[in-house]
Amino acid sequence: MAIDSNSPSFVSQLCFGSILEEQILPYPKMKEAEQETFKNIRSSIEQLLRPHEKDFREWDAKGEMPASFIEELKQFGLFSLLIPESHGGMGLSTTAYSRTLQELARWDGSVAVTVGAHSSIGLRGLLLFGTDEQKARFCPKLATGEMIACFCLTEPGAGSDAASIKTHAVRDGDDWVLNGNKLWITNGGIAQFFTVFAKTGGPGERGSVTAFIVTSDMAGVTTGPHEDKMGLRASNTTTVMFDNVRVPAANVLGEVGKGFKVAMKILNSGRTGLGGGSVGVMKKMLTLATKQAKDRVQFGKPIAEYGLIKQKLGTMVVDCYVTEAAVNLVNHLIDSGHEDYAVEAAITKVFASEAMWRTIDEALQVAGGNGFMREFPYERALRDARINRIFEGTNDILRLFISLTSMNEVGSQLKELASSLKGIFDNPIKGFGVISDYARRRAGLASNLIKRENAVFTKLHPAVQPQQQVFEALTRDLATAVDQVLRKHGKNIIGKQFASRRLADMMIDLFVLAATLSRVSTAVSEKGAASVTRELEILEVFTGQVKRRFQANFAQINENDDELVKSLANHALDLDGYTWDNV
Ligand SMILES: Cc1cc2nc3c(=O)[nH]c(=O)nc-3n(C[C@H](O)[C@H](O)[C@H](O)COP(=O)(O)OP(=O)(O)OC[C@H]3O[C@@H](n4cnc5c(N)ncnc54)[C@H](O)[C@@H]3O)c2cc1C
């Protein structure tokens, strides 16, 4: 499928009531040649990791992965996945890379994150923004693992509000002199290549950030002890300190003062890696839970025969299939050169991390008391999974990003908004304050843009028509909801997080449903409806779930308990917690 790289975000167009079906149909497949490569990678990963299955539990308990095992990962080439072949790497597409992380995550979360932090965020800035000279200098060493990469953005005072970092760099001759401390850096203690973000515009300037390539051999770079974590315990996480580090100007990544854009672009394109890992864990949980349900006998029957167990297993199947549909689709958009995928990538991260959490939790429940025992893999999987809802942008912040960015597109139809909107796309989190009064005043125009004939699919297989109709109706409702919310709140939408979250949930559900419709429709076209009855059932169940959630969110736009909930929160804040202890 050819996608116009300048075509707008699919979800932003849903906010107008338009379905850009050419972006999502037909459902993509991994290229033949790459399938072969991937199959080889998959079987080699199994050969590499299966013998270490017991070790993973031990390393989790100890909170450390031995250096000898990291050497094995290097020998295997796992640090070369995204490096172009011309620089000694495997040059995998986003699709094959995400699929590889899926395989790794099935075996062990700490291994997946060690490899993922290196490629998804550690070296991605070099691939996206590096000069030819920088790539030639670093890529070969990053491919062999002689250099392991990490991404250094977070600081003690700057997490979600990444623009408030204090690390700073001052130009001195041919160098920049870098000072500051970074927190919770994955691979920090084993890395030789650091993508570091620092202020270069003087104290107090929020905007002016520059990205630097720092290497561990530069004087003044030190790392703290490995953090004692809840999950991913064997993956290395440390503080990284820069004390008067002289960084050559040749190591500036991208343009001076444009580092925030570099950081956001890295995170946007890295997010589908987390989605891939989540799908891998969900598949593993389904294998474990189905076996457990058949083996465990209670009240004279395998527990698999009970309705409540079937409900869990069936729901896990649906969650896994639809998550995979969305992750693959966004990977394909990225591989096709589509530029405007940040919202869709954020959606896969939010949906996948939460679907994975539900799936592990239910698999643990199917295992009963065994699920709680360290001897079994469930509790470790649950601990490992929790961080996925926090790092690479918390799901809360990403929900705000999804809804506000997508809604701004409605406003961007208006020429007057163009200049203020530009800032939002460069820097969506910082740009929360930018949405304009125009959006409120001109929301009426937006409502005129909702044209019934745009909210239609024309290329789906007739076998999915009932679900297609639901999707089209919900798309029109989304456009109405966006219009209503902008009309009601205008620029104050920034402070209306309850409303933004609701809209985000509607957008997330709709995008995942669009991906599922595309996947199932394409499968029917290729194999015939009789061969894909289960997939049609999945689509039917998921469409029902989405419809019910969507309608509940839609109804709450005008009728909700938001102010009461806020007042209770304020009460708890004023009195430092709960005030009705009855003793
Ligand atoms: C194991 C681990 C590995 C990590 N690896 C890396 C790494 O390799 N590189 C790196 O740079 N960082 C890394 N991080 C940091 C991670 O990205 C941050 O923890 C994350 O961005 C959230 O920041 P924070 O923890 O400071 O939370 P905060 O920003 O303090 O947020 C706390 C809570 O407040 C919410 N919140 C904050 N602002 C708002 C708002 N405006 N509106 C509504 N809610 C809000 C958040 O959603 C969250 O629920 C890692 C963290 C961990 C735990």
Side-chain angles (χ1 to χ4, degrees):
M1 135 183 52
I3 295 174
D4 175 2
S5 60
N6 296 317
S7 146
S9 140
F10 182 85
V11 176
S12 74
Q13 296 311 296
L14 288 183
C15 293
F16 288 106
S18 290
I19 299 170
L20 297 184
E21 62 180 341
E22 67 279 7
Q23 269 190 29
I24 65 164
L25 279 168
Y27 188 74
K29 267 205 195 95
M30 198 189 280
K31 291 194 185 93
E32 293 275 324
E34 204 164 48
Q35 280 195 30
E36 283 314 304
T37 312
F38 170 70
K39 281 179 195 158
N40 289 334
I41 294 176
R42 180 168 58 187
S43 64
S44 309
I45 285 178
E46 177 163 3
Q47 279 169 26
L48 173 75
L49 300 187
R50 189 181 283 286
H52 287 296
E53 239 185 324
K54 274 201 183 130
D55 298 333
F56 295 139
R57 184 146 46 98
E58 247 173 59
W59 299 341
D60 169 74
K62 262 175 75 180
E64 201 174 348
M65 194 181 284
S68 58
F69 177 70
I70 293 174
E71 280 306 313
E72 283 186 57
L73 298 178
K74 289 181 190 175
Q75 296 304 324
F76 180 83
L78 278 172
F79 292 100
S80 76
L81 302 173
L82 283 183
I83 308 268
E85 285 177 284
S86 55
H87 288 301
M90 290 194 206
L92 294 187
S93 67
T94 311
T95 302
Y97 169 68
S98 165
R99 197 68 180 71
T100 302
L101 283 187
Q102 208 186 103
E103 292 308 312
L104 292 172
R106 276 172 99 125
W107 293 99
D108 183 61
S110 289
V111 175
V113 162
T114 303
V115 172
H118 170 82
S119 296
S120 295
I121 53 176
L123 59 77
R124 192 171 303 249
L126 176 69
L127 299 183
L128 291 170
F129 294 93
T131 61
D132 290 346
E133 183 278 322
Q134 287 171 337
K135 286 181 190 164
R137 193 153 38 114
F138 294 112
C139 279
K141 289 180 183 165
L142 289 162
T144 58
E146 184 185 334
M147 286 187 137
I148 292 179
C150 65
F151 174 86
C152 303
L153 180 62
T154 304
E155 298 182 2
S160 303
D161 183 10
S164 67
I165 55 172
K166 296 253 178 329
T167 295
H168 59 276
V170 178
R171 184 75 192 239
D172 183 26
D174 288 340
D175 296 336
W176 288 85
V177 180
L178 180 68
N179 279 288
N181 299 325
K182 298 291 178 177
L183 184 69
W184 301 328
I185 304 306
T186 305
N187 290 348
I190 58 169
Q192 292 76 29
F193 179 101
F194 304 77
T195 300
V196 182
F197 299 89
K199 285 276 167 63
T200 46
E205 277 203 35
R206 276 179 71 83
S208 196
V209 170
T210 300
F212 295 93
I213 297 168
V214 178
T215 52
S216 55
D217 56 1
M218 292 177 184
V221 180
T222 51
T223 58
H226 175 38
E227 302 285 350
D228 187 6
K229 307 192 293 290
M230 167 185 175
L232 300 179
R233 290 176 49 77
S235 110
N236 182 278
T237 313
T238 68
T239 48
V240 181
M241 283 79 73
F242 306 100
D243 182 13
N244 282 318
V245 179
R246 295 196 77 85
V247 186
N251 282 24
V252 167
L253 200 49
E255 286 176 53
V256 171
K258 296 282 167 60
F260 204 86
K261 189 173 154 201
V262 174
M264 291 303 126
K265 181 98 186 167
I266 292 172
L267 290 171
N268 287 339
S269 49
R271 277 194 185 111
T272 56
L274 282 187
S278 305
V279 173
V281 173
M282 290 163 85
K283 287 180 178 173
K284 175 177 169 182
M285 287 297 129
L286 259 163
T287 307
L288 290 169
T290 47
K291 181 171 185 331
Q292 171 72 13
K294 284 189 282 189
D295 290 351
R296 177 67 171 167
V297 174
Q298 287 293 280
F299 303 101
K301 286 199 285 193
I303 58 171
E305 292 186 25
Y306 298 114
L308 291 181
I309 299 290
K310 286 193 203 297
Q311 187 185 31
K312 294 183 201 314
L313 296 176
T315 306
M316 287 160 75
V317 168
V318 173
D319 261 339
C320 190
Y321 184 95
V322 304
T323 307
E324 188 173 52
V327 171
N328 283 347
L329 184 63
V330 176
N331 285 330
H332 174 74
L333 288 176
I334 298 173
D335 285 335
S336 311
H338 181 59
E339 291 285 339
D340 202 351
Y341 59 79
V343 163
E344 290 73 17
I347 286 177
T348 64
K349 191 273 193 183
V350 172
F351 191 91
S353 59
E354 294 175 7
M356 168 169 68
W357 179 256
R358 289 193 292 274
T359 300
I360 303 169
D361 186 50
E362 289 293 49
L364 190 153
Q365 192 74 10
V366 171
N370 279 344
F372 201 66
M373 299 297 146
R374 286 201 191 275
E375 190 189 337
F376 294 87
Y378 307 96
E379 63 85 31
R380 176 155 61 93
L382 202 64
R383 286 188 285 108
D384 286 350
R386 187 61 184 84
I387 190 62
N388 284 271
R389 289 161 54 197
I390 298 172
F391 63 14
E392 293 196 25
T394 70
N395 285 11
D396 316 79
I397 293 292
L398 288 179
R399 279 190 160 87
L400 298 177
F401 169 71
I402 289 162
S403 60
L404 294 176
T405 304
S406 303
M407 279 195 288
N408 268 325
E409 283 279 301
V410 171
S412 77
Q413 287 285 320
L414 311 169
K415 285 215 174 80
E416 299 95 313
L417 276 181
S419 60
S420 55
L421 285 169
K422 203 165 166 278
I424 288 183
F425 292 115
D426 288 349
N427 177 358
I429 306 291
K430 256 194 328 182
F432 283 176
V434 182
I435 200 169
S436 161
D437 255 344
Y438 286 118
R440 182 178 55 76
R441 286 199 267 123
R442 303 296 293 274
L445 175 62
S447 63
N448 293 335
L449 295 169
I450 305 167
K451 295 201 182 80
R452 205 177 170 79
E453 64 268 24
N454 292 343
V456 287
F457 273 109
T458 60
K459 299 188 178 82
L460 288 176
H461 193 282
V464 302
Q465 198 188 30
Q467 292 77 35
Q468 170 183 337
Q469 284 169 351
V470 172
F471 185 90
E472 290 168 354
L474 296 183
T475 298
R476 288 191 288 273
D477 286 349
L478 176 69
T480 308
V482 166
D483 182 31
Q484 278 181 12
V485 168
L486 283 178
R487 236 179 237 276
K488 186 166 172 191
H489 300 300
K491 71 176 178 186
N492 296 328
I493 182 65
I494 306 305
K496 301 291 175 191
Q497 296 194 342
F498 287 62
S500 291
R501 186 202 157 114
R502 231 164 249 137
L503 287 167
D505 284 341
M506 293 156 87
M507 294 173 197
I508 291 167
D509 266 341
L510 272 190
F511 179 69
V512 179
L513 180 55
T516 310
L517 265 167
S518 164
R519 184 176 182 183
V520 176
S521 168
T522 304
V524 179
S525 300
E526 286 174 357
K527 300 178 205 158
S531 310
V532 295
T533 49
R534 294 290 174 228
E535 294 181 56
L536 285 162
E537 286 166 10
I538 290 172
L539 175 64
E540 193 176 338
V541 172
F542 187 60
T543 305
Q545 289 175 1
V546 167
K547 188 176 167 187
R548 288 186 288 276
R549 279 196 296 260
F550 190 101
Q551 287 175 340
N553 277 318
F554 192 35
Q556 285 173 51
I557 283 177
N558 292 318
E559 202 178 320
N560 56 57
D561 299 329
D562 296 356
E563 292 310 314
L564 285 175
V565 171
K566 242 187 265 172
S567 131
L568 289 172
N570 288 336
H571 176 80
L573 288 164
D574 288 346
L575 298 170
D576 295 328
Y578 186 78
T579 53
W580 297 277
D581 193 330
N582 60 2
V583 178

